[in-house]
Amino acid sequence: MYLRSSSTILYFTYIYIYTCFKLMIAEDSDEDLLTVPDVEASPAMDSTNKIQNQKRRKGRNPVDKEYRRIKRLLRNRVSAQQARERKKVYVNELESRAKELQDLNSKLEETISTLNNENTMLRKVLLSTRPKLDHTTSTTVGQKHHI
């Protein structure tokens, strides 16, 4: 069985509803019954009025309004689902980056601790290997230089 993502399912739902409305509009060709012919108009103005009436009627037709509303709702659902999926990917990337940085931080802290211990040890070794000066020899040596 092939599983599809939710955005794909929403897209196919959108296509299905779109097709159903197209078929319903094609079957309902009674739009001419709803229009009132203009008796006083001249034949030249008749074609212009028909075009203007069609433009005005398109917005007023309840089937068109419902079709556009459903189309908009489906577009919004698909868009919202895609946004949720993008956000999920983004959050997962941030979480993995945070984990990497935490690991790096702990390694660096361990290195700092090791280096501090080594530094302390080396200072102790340095202090222990220095020759210790006597006060008597240092004063005798200092006096000899003054004479």
Side-chain angles (χ1 to χ4, degrees):
M1 181 177 167
Y2 178 69
L3 297 176
R4 293 188 174 137
S5 70
S6 55
S7 61
T8 307
I9 293 171
L10 285 173
Y11 176 74
F12 284 122
T13 306
Y14 166 73
I15 296 296
Y16 174 74
I17 291 176
Y18 175 80
T19 307
C20 289
F21 267 91
K22 283 293 185 184
L23 290 174
M24 188 170 70
I25 290 171
E27 290 174 3
D28 291 344
S29 60
D30 297 335
E31 290 183 18
D32 295 332
L33 297 176
L34 299 174
T35 60
V36 178
D38 194 6
V39 178
E40 297 179 280
S42 65
M45 295 291 288
D46 193 32
S47 63
T48 308
N49 285 339
K50 280 185 181 179
I51 293 171
Q52 289 175 350
N53 282 340
Q54 286 175 350
K55 287 181 182 177
R56 273 189 254 143
R57 278 189 301 126
K58 187 172 185 176
R60 294 182 183 168
N61 189 351
V63 174
D64 278 347
K65 282 186 178 181
E66 184 65 17
Y67 167 72
R68 277 191 245 127
R69 186 183 74 81
I70 290 176
K71 187 177 174 181
R72 186 187 74 244
L73 288 174
L74 288 173
R75 272 196 321 259
N76 288 347
R77 283 182 190 165
V78 170
S79 178
Q81 183 62 35
Q82 290 171 343
R84 283 190 290 271
E85 289 173 1
R86 281 192 307 268
K87 181 180 177 183
K88 192 181 293 184
V89 168
Y90 176 70
V91 167
N92 287 339
E93 288 174 358
L94 284 179
E95 288 174 348
S96 66
R97 179 74 175 139
K99 177 76 170 114
E100 290 172 7
L101 291 174
Q102 286 173 348
D103 292 343
L104 178 63
N105 193 25
S106 64
K107 287 179 184 177
L108 290 175
E109 285 176 349
E110 185 178 319
T111 304
I112 288 172
S113 175
T114 304
L115 291 174
N116 279 336
N117 289 339
E118 185 179 347
N119 191 11
T120 305
M121 184 187 71
L122 289 173
R123 285 178 188 266
K124 286 181 181 177
V125 168
L126 182 64
L127 287 174
S128 66
T129 57
R130 275 190 185 167
K132 294 185 180 178
L133 299 175
D134 263 347
H135 289 296
T136 56
T137 54
S138 65
T139 55
T140 313
V141 172
Q143 289 173 354
K144 287 181 182 176
H145 286 290
H146 284 297
I147 303 178

